Amino acid sequence: SIVIDDEHGGQLAAEHLVEKGHKTIAFLGDIEPLEKISIHPVKSRLTGFKQVLQEAGLSLPNEYIYSASYTQEESRQGAFELLSLPKPPTAIFTASDIQALSVMKVARQLNIKVPSDLAIIGFDDIDVAEHVDLTTICQHLDESGRLAAEILLARISEPKRSLQHINLPLNLIKRMTA
């Protein structure tokens, strides 16, 4: 298996936002996916995120947590609702870069300046993240695919080969949005 520590990814995002002095912080992600899957990476990201905020003496009230699928429409709706709160967040951590792009679009439509009025952090470090200067948690998607293929091919050629479990490191890529 090739895995990442999603909880640690959430911690990295929260640590960065806390270091930047943010106090009103929100989370947007697909917390309750419809598919019945055994792993819940977004819940783990949220758990790590909340943990660091709590350790810093900050809370993440339910109204600042928006569950949205990865569609642009739901992500934009979530961003609009979060940014329309009576006390809108000064920072939003999204469970994916795609969702972060939706938040950036809504912020632009509402004349909210990124990062001076709103910091945004995504997750994945997809190719477009660099082009829009998105601060994000990098999970080395290409490397995980390459390693998975290597492990599978090795196992096919040597069926008795011992099982491998690789935990890929995550890191925060600091760019212009946070």
Side-chain angles (χ1 to χ4, degrees):
S1 65
I2 310 289
V3 297
I4 61 166
D5 185 348
D6 285 291
E7 192 170 310
H8 179 64
Q11 292 168 342
L12 289 171
E15 287 167 0
H16 184 67
L17 295 173
V18 168
E19 285 172 13
K20 292 283 191 173
H22 292 281
K23 305 260 187 264
T24 309
I25 302 172
F27 178 87
L28 186 144
D30 195 1
I31 303 164
E32 297 294 337
L34 295 175
E35 302 85 25
K36 301 290 183 218
I37 54 176
S38 60
I39 58 170
H40 298 280
V42 176
K43 277 187 179 179
S44 297
R45 292 171 194 174
L46 178 57
T47 297
F49 190 66
K50 283 175 145 178
Q51 176 193 357
V52 169
L53 293 180
Q54 193 172 43
E55 289 169 1
L58 302 172
S59 64
L60 186 62
N62 287 337
E63 63 267 23
Y64 289 89
I65 301 172
Y66 194 94
S67 184
S69 72
Y70 293 105
T71 68
Q72 288 183 24
E73 183 178 321
E74 278 194 47
S75 297
R76 283 195 303 257
Q77 178 64 35
F80 182 79
E81 289 192 27
L82 289 169
L83 295 171
S84 298
L85 287 169
K87 184 178 179 186
T90 62
I92 298 177
F93 171 45
T94 65
S96 75
D97 288 347
I98 296 296
Q99 291 174 312
L101 295 172
S102 293
V103 173
M104 291 171 70
K105 182 174 184 166
V106 170
R108 196 169 45 251
Q109 291 169 338
L110 296 174
N111 294 315
I112 296 171
K113 306 263 185 289
V114 176
S116 57
D117 298 330
L118 177 68
I120 302 169
I121 298 180
F123 199 107
D124 290 326
D125 197 27
I126 61 175
D127 291 342
V128 74
E130 183 178 5
H131 296 290
V132 298
D133 282 326
L134 176 65
T135 299
T136 186
I137 306 299
C138 177
Q139 70 163 315
H140 306 286
L141 295 168
D142 291 341
E143 179 69 3
S144 65
R146 186 188 65 74
L147 286 170
E150 282 181 13
I151 290 171
L152 177 62
L153 292 173
R155 184 82 171 160
I156 290 170
S157 66
E158 285 183 65
K160 296 194 185 292
R161 183 183 181 131
S162 62
L163 296 177
Q164 288 182 272
H165 301 285
I166 298 172
N167 192 345
L168 290 178
L170 297 173
N171 57 306
L172 174 72
I173 306 295
K174 295 178 186 178
R175 295 191 181 112
M176 300 301 292
T177 62

